[in-house]
Amino acid sequence: MSTTRPLQNRVAPDGEFHASRARGMLMGNRGGRLHGPDRRLGKRRWASKAWISCVLDFKDRHRVVMGDSYTELFFLDEATALAAGHRPCFECRRKDALAFAEAWARARGQTDRARGAEMDAALHAERLGEKDRVRLGDAPEGVMVRLAWGDALAWRGALFPWSFEGYGPPRPLDPEARALSLTPASVRAVLSSGYRPSVHPTGRL
């Protein structure tokens, strides 16, 4: 087993960075470089409003993680990335990005598909604002919530406890209970408008 300290580039549903050996299903970035030559994070947590999530492998490209370019971030799955405020990348996840943008437009009653800059501006304002409390019965599938016992994914009528390694056994979802929504309001609207996020295999009944 490697004794090398893991990099602080794993993203939790609340958007915070942690050091974990778990890689996850997706990577992404926040518009630029957040680390120094020693591969440690500086004080800032984003370089632009464009926070995206990407596939791990694309066109046989190879990168040195936390090298000379942007800071690579890793997510358990898309539900986690969406909760943290990252939208799908229009280059490596174009099909998902277009579906997300179309659902965004439907949620807002727009006739034209939403553009990246428009979504980024709205999401950034929500990322910096206060988080909402939601009734679990009103939360669409794919929403991440914070409860007294930890963070969980609302999925298939149950609550799946979240961790960097995967989801724990499902717990009952009380539709009348209220919880803090880690997933931004705009993303909840996208989920309610038909967008289906990818979920880690452990999130299965």
Side-chain angles (χ1 to χ4, degrees):
M1 180 181 294
S2 173
T3 58
T4 304
R5 179 180 176 84
L7 299 173
Q8 190 184 354
N9 62 355
R10 274 55 176 175
V11 186
D14 61 3
E16 294 297 323
F17 296 166
H18 299 262
S20 170
R21 298 192 187 282
R23 188 183 187 194
M25 295 173 59
L26 292 175
M27 65 169 288
N29 67 76
R30 294 184 178 177
R33 183 168 174 165
L34 309 177
H35 63 280
D38 60 358
R39 303 173 82 194
R40 293 180 181 271
L41 294 180
K43 291 184 178 180
R44 69 177 183 170
R45 290 295 179 266
W46 65 84
S48 79
K49 295 178 181 179
W51 296 18
I52 61 174
S53 61
C54 304
V55 294
L56 296 177
D57 299 298
F58 183 65
K59 293 185 176 180
D60 201 32
R61 295 179 185 176
H62 299 280
R63 302 181 57 83
V64 176
V65 176
M66 282 196 175
D68 295 330
S69 185
Y70 63 76
T71 299
E72 295 85 354
L73 306 173
F74 294 89
F75 311 90
L76 172 67
D77 57 10
E78 186 176 16
T80 303
L82 291 175
H86 288 247
R87 61 167 174 81
C89 172
F90 273 100
E91 182 182 11
C92 68
R93 298 184 57 207
R94 186 162 183 79
K95 181 179 178 180
D96 292 334
L98 292 175
F100 186 89
E102 289 165 0
W104 180 289
R106 288 197 301 273
R108 297 184 175 223
Q110 300 171 192
T111 56
D112 295 329
R113 186 177 66 228
R115 297 185 177 276
E118 170 195 346
M119 295 187 288
D120 293 338
L123 285 170
H124 199 64
E126 292 176 358
R127 292 188 294 250
L128 298 179
E130 294 292 327
K131 298 188 183 301
D132 304 321
R133 291 189 66 81
V134 298
R135 177 179 171 273
L136 292 182
D138 296 330
E141 284 199 342
V143 164
M144 289 279 186
V145 295
R146 176 159 290 168
L147 299 138
W149 46 264
D151 296 346
L153 171 69
W155 188 246
R156 297 180 178 176
L159 293 170
F160 287 80
W162 182 93
S163 76
F164 285 105
E165 291 74 26
Y167 296 102
R171 300 189 182 190
L173 185 154
D174 178 0
E176 297 301 326
R178 301 186 72 84
L180 191 72
S181 174
L182 301 177
T183 305
S186 290
V187 178
R188 295 199 307 272
V190 168
L191 296 174
S192 293
S193 294
Y195 186 78
R196 186 83 167 175
S198 61
V199 169
H200 192 268
T202 52
R204 295 174 179 170
L205 291 172

